[in-house]
């Protein structure tokens, strides 16, 4: 951690700006500038926040590993035919669940470093906001900037908790030393906070973010023609589905509270998101019923990540060939994931050309083939929080089985599958929830967290038949952190 922070010089504005960014992201400087110069003007704060989003979209974080990468590899989503030495299937090796191992150590170290580097830049931005707040003169900007920064910090810490933290429901889980929760840009040593303390810190960041973003305009519309997005609108406050907005803060609050077992709070926040309305009275988010030209379910996007030149990355990562990391070689495996023998063949999350692209040697997910999206504004997009998750949180927190059944069925019917006829036991409720996570969040990284949260001792295609343990779900701290003991 010392090395990470020492090397951060806040040269983010030197990064090339993503082609999909709006006008305010069109950063003029082509070389690094000093912090004093950067934060001496309002535009500098906007540029710094842009750099943070760009860091998060790196492949080590949400641009791959924390969306469709390692977290979905661990959930046994993919099946390349053989490893590069030509021996066993790549992800059937139990070493994927032994931390650290030769297979997992690079991910463990890279995610930690990239996450804390981003957090350091968030903390630096927040520190400069306290010093130079007077240069931010546009009404509302100060609140949005700080609210987004606090929400992003909470978002990253939530995933660090879910990866490096214990299984919260197990005895001693909440008291387990877990992470250093850094709120300041500093080289000072930090003790490990317990999992329960990390949750408290996250919730406090989200509480402040919610207050600061109370007047978020929540402009979420997508342009489908030649109309300019910025026509008559502040370019800093548009396309909120690609930013940490007010509803994203509430949705993340629901996710965190559910992780900690606070079901009443989780349900309250999830319901607020589901019930959210636009200024014209229409629902702010709506379940998608046709994904032919909307494979990322745009009207459900509560928070997403824009990845620079993602079309090129997707063309490499989701090409159908036998050595592809993200291939499903055996169609029978995919059919099992989607209950094709029951009604899964009608599911638009499965259909050829909609949910998946099928080929002679297998299948790859289609949602990241975004060249034919109905709006260019949602190309290069990775979903991070969607409306359907709020339905699932409400279904899990419901006090009666009938409410759970109706909520799960609402999403299933939108996707083109039959409703669930009945749920009569807690075991069946959990199984139906798991199946929906398995279908809904393919290549989005959420299934692994579901397995961990409920401490599944095994799961579909898991190489451990019955004996997954806490340590098989928990990333250890990187070796250099443990060696120096300073965090």
């Amino acid at each position: 951690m010392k090395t990470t922070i020492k090397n951060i010089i806040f040269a983010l504005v030197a990064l090339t700006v993503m082609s999909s960014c709006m006008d305010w992201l069109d950063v003029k400087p082509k070389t690094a500038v000093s912090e004093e110069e950067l934060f001496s003007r309002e535009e500098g704060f906007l540029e710094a926040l842009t750099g943070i989003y760009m860091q998060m979209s790196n492949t080590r974080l949400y641009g791959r590993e924390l969306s469709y990468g390692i977290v979905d590899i661990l959930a046994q989503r993919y099946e390349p035919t053989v490893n590069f030495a030509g021996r066993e299937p790549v992800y059937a090796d139990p070493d994927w669940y032994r931390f650290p191992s030769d297979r997992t150590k690079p991910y463990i170290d890279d995610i930690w470093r990239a996450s804390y580097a981003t957090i350091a830049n968030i903390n630096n931005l927040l520190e400069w906001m306290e010093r130079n707040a007077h240069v931010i003169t546009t009404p509302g900007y100060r609140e949005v900037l700080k609210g987004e920064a606090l929400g992003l910090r909470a978002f990253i810490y939530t995933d660090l908790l879910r990866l490096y933290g214990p299984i919260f429901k197990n005895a001693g889980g909440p008291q387990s030393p877990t992470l250093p929760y850094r709120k300041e840009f500093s080289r000072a040593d930090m003790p490990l906070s317990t999992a329960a303390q990390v949750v408290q810190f996250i919730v406090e960041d989200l509480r402040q973010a919610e207050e600061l973003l109370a007047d978020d305009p929540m402009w979420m519309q997508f342009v489908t023609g030649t109309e300019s997005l910025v026509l008559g609108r502040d370019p800093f406050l548009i396309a909120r589905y690609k930013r940490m907005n007010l509803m994203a803060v509430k949705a993340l609050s629901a996710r965190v509270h559910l992780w900690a077992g606070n079901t009443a709070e989780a349900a309250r926040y999830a319901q607020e998101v589901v019930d959210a309305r636009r200024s014209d009275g229409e629902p702010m988010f709506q379940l998608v019923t046709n994904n032919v030209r909307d494979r990322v379910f745009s009207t459900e996007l509560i928070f997403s990540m824009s990845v620079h030149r993602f079309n090129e990355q997707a063309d490499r990562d989701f090409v159908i060939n036998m050595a592809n990391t993200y291939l499903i070689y055996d169609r029978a495996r995919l059919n099992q994931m989607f209950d094709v023998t029951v009604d899964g063949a009608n599911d638009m999350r499965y259909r050829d050309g909609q949910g998946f692209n099928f080929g002679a040697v297998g299948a790859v997910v289609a949602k990241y083939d975004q060249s034919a999206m109905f709006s260019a504004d949602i190309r290069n997009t990775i979903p991070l929080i969607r409306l359907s998750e709020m339905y699932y949180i409400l279904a899990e927190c419901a006090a009666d089985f009938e409410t759970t059944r109706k909520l799960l069925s609402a999403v299933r019917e939108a996707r083109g599958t039959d409703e669930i006829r009945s749920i009569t036991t807690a075991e069946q409720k959990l199984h139906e929830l798991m199946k929906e996570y398995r279908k809904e969040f393919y290549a989005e990284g959420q299934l692994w967290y579901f397995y961990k949260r409920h401490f599944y001792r095994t799961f579909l295609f898991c190489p451990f038949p019955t004996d997954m343990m806490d340590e098989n779900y928990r990333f250890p701290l990187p070796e250099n952190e443990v060696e120096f003991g300073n965090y």
Side-chain angles (χ1 to χ4, degrees), residues 1 4 60-61 65 70 99-117 160 163-164 475-482:
M1 187 63 195
T4 300
R60 292 183 298 171
L61 295 177
E65 300 308 341
I70 182 60
F99 305 124
S101 68
D102 289 343
R103 292 199 182 275
T104 59
K105 187 178 185 301
Y107 299 102
I108 291 168
D109 293 351
D110 283 353
I111 291 169
W112 181 275
R113 283 195 297 264
S115 295
Y116 273 100
L160 287 172
L163 289 169
Y164 296 86
F475 284 11
L477 302 187
E479 290 178 359
N480 63 333
E481 298 283 348
V482 176

Side-chain angles (χ1 to χ4, degrees), residues 269-318:
Y269 277 110
Q271 193 67 61
E272 287 184 19
V273 176
V274 171
D275 292 342
R277 292 292 183 271
R278 302 190 316 229
S279 58
D280 61 4
E282 291 298 308
M284 188 168 291
F285 309 102
Q286 300 183 55
L287 291 172
V288 170
T289 59
N290 186 339
N291 69 336
V292 172
R293 296 194 64 206
D294 190 9
R295 292 169 179 168
V296 295
F297 302 86
S298 61
T299 58
E300 298 183 22
L301 293 178
I302 301 170
F303 180 44
S304 61
M305 192 60 59
S306 181
V307 179
H308 181 48
R309 301 177 73 171
F310 183 55
N311 60 317
E312 298 176 13
Q313 179 179 321
D315 285 346
R316 294 190 302 269
D317 285 352
F318 299 104

Side-chain angles (χ1 to χ4, degrees), residues 182-216:
R182 289 187 172 271
K183 296 184 178 182
E184 297 177 353
F185 184 74
S186 167
R187 297 184 180 90
D189 298 343
M190 287 288 293
L192 294 181
S193 299
T194 66
Q197 289 170 332
V198 172
V199 169
Q200 291 173 352
F201 290 139
I202 292 171
V203 168
E204 176 58 23
D205 275 352
L206 291 172
R207 183 194 64 77
Q208 292 184 54
E210 184 178 348
E211 291 178 357
L212 289 161
L213 293 169
D215 295 325
D216 189 339

Side-chain angles (χ1 to χ4, degrees), residues 209-343:
E210 184 178 348
E211 291 178 357
L212 289 161
L213 293 169
D215 295 325
D216 189 339
M218 291 301 299
W219 201 79
M220 311 285 278
Q221 285 86 333
F222 305 97
V223 172
T224 57
T226 58
E227 173 191 1
S228 171
L229 260 180
V230 298
L231 185 62
R233 292 189 176 273
D234 185 339
F236 178 57
L237 298 174
I238 61 176
R240 298 297 292 160
Y241 57 92
K242 286 190 175 179
R243 307 288 297 278
M244 179 53 67
N245 59 74
L246 175 62
M247 288 302 139
V249 167
K250 290 178 183 257
L252 180 58
S253 296
R255 181 184 281 179
V256 171
H257 280 296
L258 186 65
W259 186 263
N262 305 323
T263 55
E265 282 295 279
R268 178 174 74 84
Y269 277 110
Q271 193 67 61
E272 287 184 19
V273 176
V274 171
D275 292 342
R277 292 292 183 271
R278 302 190 316 229
S279 58
D280 61 4
E282 291 298 308
M284 188 168 291
F285 309 102
Q286 300 183 55
L287 291 172
V288 170
T289 59
N290 186 339
N291 69 336
V292 172
R293 296 194 64 206
D294 190 9
R295 292 169 179 168
V296 295
F297 302 86
S298 61
T299 58
E300 298 183 22
L301 293 178
I302 301 170
F303 180 44
S304 61
M305 192 60 59
S306 181
V307 179
H308 181 48
R309 301 177 73 171
F310 183 55
N311 60 317
E312 298 176 13
Q313 179 179 321
D315 285 346
R316 294 190 302 269
D317 285 352
F318 299 104
V319 63
I320 298 178
N321 66 55
M322 295 176 68
N324 182 18
T325 302
Y326 309 105
L327 176 77
I328 294 182
Y329 175 68
D330 185 355
R331 280 276 296 278
R333 183 185 181 100
L334 185 63
N335 293 346
Q336 193 170 350
M337 288 186 199
F338 281 84
D339 291 334
V340 170
T341 56
V342 183
D343 65 347

Side-chain angles (χ1 to χ4, degrees), residues 15-142:
L15 296 172
T16 303
V17 179
M18 297 174 286
S19 61
S20 61
C21 291
M22 308 307 168
D23 288 352
W24 72 273
L25 300 184
D26 188 15
V27 184
K28 298 298 187 294
K30 300 303 180 184
T31 58
V33 297
S34 69
E35 291 185 56
E36 289 78 7
E37 179 184 347
L38 178 67
F39 293 118
S40 67
R41 52 196 172 86
E42 182 179 86
E43 186 184 20
F45 282 91
L46 307 187
E47 292 167 358
L49 183 61
T50 302
I52 289 165
Y53 280 104
M54 292 173 71
Q55 275 190 300
M56 292 178 66
S57 70
N58 185 279
T59 55
R60 292 183 298 171
L61 295 177
Y62 300 96
R64 180 186 287 135
E65 300 308 341
L66 297 186
S67 51
Y68 65 84
I70 182 60
V71 283
D72 258 8
I73 287 172
L74 293 171
Q76 290 294 319
R77 296 299 218 174
Y78 312 116
E79 185 206 22
T81 53
V82 293
N83 70 10
F84 294 112
R87 295 190 295 270
E88 76 282 356
V90 177
Y91 304 133
D93 188 343
D95 274 353
W96 283 103
Y97 304 91
R98 296 186 179 116
F99 305 124
S101 68
D102 289 343
R103 292 199 182 275
T104 59
K105 187 178 185 301
Y107 299 102
I108 291 168
D109 293 351
D110 283 353
I111 291 169
W112 181 275
R113 283 195 297 264
S115 295
Y116 273 100
T118 308
I119 289 168
N121 282 319
I122 291 171
N123 289 340
N124 200 31
L125 172 63
L126 290 168
E127 183 178 307
W128 277 98
M129 287 196 71
E130 294 301 314
R131 290 194 220 171
N132 279 15
H134 62 278
V135 307
I136 306 173
T137 58
T138 303
Y141 272 24
R142 192 179 308 172

